Amino acid sequence: MIQSEIFYLFSIISIGYILGNIKIRGFSLDITAMLIVALIAGHYGMVISDEFKFFGLAIFIYAVGLQSGPGFFETIKKDGVRLNFLAVLLVSTIFITIFSIGTYLEMPKGTIEGIFTGSLTSVPALASALEVSNDSSISVIFGLVYPFCIIITVLFVRILPVIFRVDLNKEIEKYEQDQRQKYPDVFTKNYKIINNNFKNSSIDKQQIEDMTGAIIERIEYTSDEDNLLHVNDIVRASGTTKELKKLEIILGEEINDTFEFHDDMKVYRLLVASENIVGKKIGQLTQLKTLRTIIAKVRRSGIDITPDPSLTLRLGDKLYVVAPKEYGERVTKIIGDDLLKYPAADFLPISLGIVLGILVGSIPFVIPGLGSIKLSFVGGILLTAILLGRKGRIGPIVWQLSPHSTSMMKTLGQLIFMATIGTNAGKDLVESILQNGFTPVYVAIIGLLFSITIITILCRIILKMNFINILGLLSGAMVSTPTLTMVNSTTKSEYPSISYAAVYPMSLVLMIILAQLGMKIL
């Protein structure tokens, strides 16, 4: 078993993990150490088959897609056009720079194509180029450039915050503040009805909620408890400052928050941790309505969200609910409240989602002038995972995974992927260098560093973008899984994954198109 690929795989992971955690003046190689160890192992014959690479890539990309899915569509609606424009600009700049230098040096078109696809470390782009021209030099140069560009890109993105003198902790704080501004805080206040219109009209609380957007949690009735609002009734309501201002205009006046209600209601703070409600919309939770339970506020990733009936609940959301004391245990059981009781790994949505993703990636679609192209293995899985993550659930199948399952899939997948691509690139590295020299590597590195620097300056200096979004954008634009791994590790957050997922599909399609276009225009 010592000569087996399993032994090689976990030996590389162990050594790479140890070396990657060694810090010198606060700097560590992190995931890059894994790649360096794998390259050396590959040179000495410890090669791991591509099946492991695809396995690691599948579970990593699927986990990233599921996690990013809900935020992906929000990003597309708010910043998607700008992010994708910048991603297109980055890939196009790399393409123009490399093809310009290659043409000036009078390199063969197969060599230039190999440099371009290798610089982006894009196997789908390589496959696309080979479909147009079965030139073996493309694959040779790709294999030469590939490992150097992975290391250079990952290390360069790692030191970009240092070059631009960015404090990543402050950038994360600003990112979270921006998110909170998009989702105003939800407050709870008491009001006394003094509007005389309530004397002559039968107005129920649902009408008021529809008019203001606020949620009426409790009512202290001065007459019959008929669910209608009357003059001198006291109500407790939750909503944003704007919503509560509307409510105050309609009802009359705000009163002391310490008012004591004489009903049987109690406030509970519960975590969404039950498969029965994860992925469902608030309006679908009829069992809570039956128990006279009101969801007053949803807190997600440190952000308050108004509990609109169309809001889809996610695993880990904190719900502020008001319910009768007698139903407290039943309400808690319905919502869950204990993430540890959530199934650690339901393999049906994992395996089924990856199968669907591979099928989606294999579907060809036609682009006029270029012919048929495919999203490929990675693109299909990512797109499928994003859609399923957004959907949350389909019937009894809950697509969202527990935080522990997601973390395990991402970590295991990226380690297996890095070990495999490193050994496969390392086996031919020396031979490729002896045959072609380092010129293709120099051209690729110049094209990458020049383009990344220009786009980073544009994003940071001119557009004043948050560096967290910039790092995610760079990783996604280059469809680079190792770079995303480094970025998430460096920032100690998953926020870059949202920008990564927002631009990845567009960038992948563009790379495939440019790879074919390059062979046709030279």
Side-chain angles (χ1 to χ4, degrees), residues 401-421:
L401 303 175
S402 70
H404 303 91
S405 298
T406 302
S407 178
M408 173 61 77
M409 285 179 64
K410 289 169 61 179
T411 302
L412 179 62
Q414 68 193 24
L415 293 179
I416 293 174
F417 172 72
M418 294 293 284
T420 307
I421 62 172

Side-chain angles (χ1 to χ4, degrees), residues 170-183:
K170 290 184 178 178
E171 292 299 298
I172 290 174
E173 289 179 8
K174 290 179 182 177
Y175 182 93
E176 292 175 342
Q177 287 174 2
D178 290 340
Q179 291 298 104
R180 283 193 287 270
Q181 288 178 359
K182 294 174 184 176
Y183 299 95

Side-chain angles (χ1 to χ4, degrees), residues 187-193 205 209 214-221 229 233-239 244 247 251 253 255-263 265-267 269 294 296 322:
F187 301 97
T188 300
K189 295 183 178 181
N190 297 331
Y191 297 91
K192 182 176 182 180
I193 301 176
K205 74 183 194 71
E209 289 176 340
I215 303 296
I216 296 178
E217 302 176 12
R218 306 170 76 173
I219 304 173
E220 182 80 5
Y221 292 101
L229 298 178
D233 283 352
I234 307 295
V235 302
R236 174 168 293 173
S238 59
L244 293 179
L247 188 69
L251 299 186
E253 64 178 4
I255 64 171
N256 198 315
D257 288 341
T258 59
F259 180 84
E260 184 177 347
F261 285 79
H262 300 85
D263 55 22
M265 306 296 277
K266 182 180 178 182
V267 178
R269 295 169 178 82
I294 299 169
V322 180

Side-chain angles (χ1 to χ4, degrees), residues 354-369:
I354 292 175
V355 168
L356 290 173
I358 294 173
L359 292 175
V360 169
S362 65
I363 298 174
F365 57 95
V366 178
I367 295 181

Side-chain angles (χ1 to χ4, degrees), residues 366-378:
V366 178
I367 295 181
L370 292 176
S372 176
I373 64 173
K374 300 175 182 178
L375 282 177
S376 79
F377 178 86
V378 174

